[in-house]
Amino acid sequence: MAGRIFIEASDVTSGGLPSPVKHLYLVYEAESGIEYTIRAGPDGAFKIFGSFEILDNVRLSNSPDARELTDRPDRNSTDLSFAGMTDDQAWALMLKYARSFEATEPDYNAFTSNSNTFIGALLAGTGEDPYDLLPSGVPATQAIGFGNFGDILDELAPPSDWRTLGTAAAETFFGEAHGEEISASGGADVVYGRGGSDLILGEGGADLLHGQNGSDVLRGGAGRDSIWGGADSDKLVGGQNADMLFGGRGSDVLIGGRGADELTGGRGADTFVLSQSPGVDTITDFEGASDKFVLADGLQEEDIALSDTGDFVLIELSATGDVLAKVHHDASAEIEFWDIG
C-alpha cells in the first residue's frame, strides 16, 4: 500500500470573522496513517506583504492547518490522482519543487503571489491542470491568487522528475515518509530510506544502505556494500562484489549477485535466490521450516547436490562439483529448492 495525496481548503478569516476566501494546502497520508503537509503562508501573522514561510513534509498535526480526521469534509478534502506517476512519486516531485522555490527567498503578496499561487504551481509541476485538482466544491474564485501559478512556473521551472540523485562524492541521504527513489551514484554513500516503500540504488562505491520501514528494494551495485532491509518485506540485491545482506524483519528476498556474499535473512520467511554468478555465497541463518531457496539462471533441482561438511551444508553443481553457496545449517534434508518460475 502506498500513500495518498489530498488537497484541502481552510477558511481565511478577516478581522476574526470568516470570509469566503480559501487557503489551500496539500496532505500526504502515509501507509502508517500519519499525515504530512506542504503548505505556505506569510512569514508573520496577518501580513499582506513580506516573505514566504513554507512548511514541507511536516506533520499536519504540527502545522497551522492542523485538524482532526473527522474534519476532512469541512476542509473539502479531495483525493488526488496523477497521470503517469504514483502519489508517492508526485509527492516527491512536489517536495523538490517546494524546496527549490523556498531557496529563491520569494516575496509574498496576499493578493497576487500567496499560498494558493504556490500550491497551484506545485500541482502544475506534476503535469496536471491545477484547475482540475482544486478541492471539491471550491471554485478558483475563492482561492485568491491560485490563477497566478504560471508566474512561479515562469520564474522557476519544475523538477524534471521525482528522483533523488547523488554525485561522485561520498554522501549521506535521509529519506522521508513517502516512497522514494534514491540513486546514491559514486562514492561510499550512506542511505536511510526511513518510511515508505523505497527504491534505493547504491551504484558505485562501498555503500551502506538501510531500507528501514516499508517494503523496499535495495541494490548495491559496484563496490563492497552492506545492505539492511529493516522492517517489512524487502528485496536486497548485492551487485558486483562481496557484499553483506541483512534482511531484518519481514519475509525478504536476498540475491547476492557476483562475489562471495554473506546473506542473513533475519526474522520472517525469507527467500534466498541461488544462481551461477561467480563467488560462493554464505547463508548464515537458513531456517528449513520457514525459509527457502529459489533457483535462477535456468538451474533445476536435478542440477543441485548437497554435501554436509559438519560446519556447513555445501550447495554444489552436481555435474562439476562447483560450490554455489555454503549454508550454516545442521540438517541438509530440510533444504528444498523452488524454481524461480
Side-chain angles (χ1 to χ4, degrees), residues 209-292:
L209 311 179
H210 295 271
Q212 298 186 296
N213 296 318
S215 296
D216 307 303
V217 177
L218 305 100
R219 300 179 181 273
R224 302 187 64 168
D225 306 303
S226 295
I227 305 175
W228 299 73
D232 301 304
S233 298
D234 307 300
K235 181 178 181 180
L236 290 68
V237 183
Q240 301 176 25
N241 284 279
D243 306 303
M244 299 180 67
L245 280 60
F246 304 87
R249 300 190 301 276
S251 298
D252 306 303
V253 177
L254 295 89
I255 305 171
R258 301 171 66 90
D261 307 301
E262 182 176 301
L263 282 58
T264 302
R267 297 171 59 183
D270 302 305
T271 299
F272 300 91
V273 178
L274 194 64
S275 71
Q276 299 186 66
S277 297
V280 178
D281 293 339
T282 300
I283 291 86
T284 68
D285 68 338
F286 186 84
E287 294 288 341
S290 57
D291 299 334
K292 66 181 179 182

Side-chain angles (χ1 to χ4, degrees), residues 136-211:
S136 178
V138 176
T141 53
Q142 287 187 288
I144 290 177
F146 183 79
N148 296 332
F149 62 83
D151 294 342
I152 294 178
L153 297 175
D154 290 341
E155 293 179 8
L156 180 67
S160 59
D161 65 28
W162 56 85
R163 298 172 179 86
T164 298
L165 303 177
T167 67
E171 300 168 281
T172 299
F173 300 87
F174 295 95
E176 305 192 63
H178 58 283
E180 299 165 87
E181 182 174 331
I182 301 174
S183 179
S185 298
D189 303 303
V190 180
V191 182
Y192 298 93
R194 292 186 174 174
S197 297
D198 304 305
L199 173 60
I200 299 176
L201 308 174
E203 299 192 337
D207 304 307
L208 178 57
L209 311 179
H210 295 271

Side-chain angles (χ1 to χ4, degrees), residues 63-199:
S63 79
D65 298 308
R67 52 128 178 86
E68 300 295 332
L69 279 173
T70 52
D71 294 333
R72 273 183 172 177
D74 296 334
R75 298 285 182 90
N76 301 89
S77 186
T78 304
D79 198 347
L80 301 183
S81 61
F82 302 87
M85 67 179 78
T86 67
D87 280 15
D88 280 355
Q89 292 167 345
W91 190 256
L93 188 149
M94 289 191 288
L95 276 177
K96 287 178 70 174
Y97 198 12
R99 289 165 181 169
S100 296
F101 179 66
E102 184 178 22
T104 67
E105 300 182 352
D107 293 328
Y108 179 91
N109 182 310
F111 304 105
T112 61
S113 183
N114 56 27
S115 58
N116 296 334
T117 319
F118 168 71
I119 294 299
L122 297 187
L123 296 173
T126 68
E128 300 289 338
D129 184 340
Y131 289 101
D132 294 337
L133 302 181
L134 281 164
S136 178
V138 176
T141 53
Q142 287 187 288
I144 290 177
F146 183 79
N148 296 332
F149 62 83
D151 294 342
I152 294 178
L153 297 175
D154 290 341
E155 293 179 8
L156 180 67
S160 59
D161 65 28
W162 56 85
R163 298 172 179 86
T164 298
L165 303 177
T167 67
E171 300 168 281
T172 299
F173 300 87
F174 295 95
E176 305 192 63
H178 58 283
E180 299 165 87
E181 182 174 331
I182 301 174
S183 179
S185 298
D189 303 303
V190 180
V191 182
Y192 298 93
R194 292 186 174 174
S197 297
D198 304 305
L199 173 60

Side-chain angles (χ1 to χ4, degrees), residues 299-323:
L299 286 173
Q300 303 292 322
E301 188 169 1
E302 55 266 27
D303 300 324
I304 300 298
L306 302 177
S307 62
D308 197 333
T309 69
D311 294 324
F312 299 98
V313 172
L314 301 182
I315 302 176
E316 305 168 326
L317 290 176
S318 55
T320 64
D322 292 340
V323 178

